[in-house]
Amino acid sequence: SPPHHQALSQDMIVDPNHPFFRPLWVRILCVAFPFGWSIFEFSSGNLFWAFLFAVAGAVLFNALILRGPDQR
């Protein structure tokens, strides 16, 4: 069987099975930071960066929280 990293889909930006993302608090922090930064940018009037960080947060939320790591 091939190593897990070779079996990843090409459209996957973040690998939720990477050991770095194993602790729940790391996954939550990696999702919360871009959303928090998006709020900061919005409050500063920088709508482009606010939107960019909100999209990054949404992508991370989908990969790390909704899909999450495989149960091993």
Side-chain angles (χ1 to χ4, degrees):
S1 150
H4 180 71
H5 68 276
Q6 291 179 351
L8 289 177
S9 164
Q10 292 293 58
D11 62 349
M12 182 176 274
I13 295 173
V14 177
D15 179 10
N17 294 306
H18 190 279
F20 177 78
F21 296 117
R22 193 163 293 136
L24 178 61
W25 71 268
V26 171
R27 288 181 277 142
I28 291 172
L29 188 63
C30 288
V31 170
F33 180 79
F35 280 126
W37 199 260
S38 176
I39 292 168
F40 168 75
E41 292 291 353
F42 182 76
S43 69
S44 300
N46 298 315
L47 299 181
F48 171 77
W49 290 107
F51 177 75
L52 193 71
F53 278 95
V55 168
V59 168
L60 288 169
F61 180 77
N62 180 49
L64 298 177
I65 305 298
L66 293 181
R67 292 184 184 191
D70 296 337
Q71 300 300 320
R72 296 179 190 186

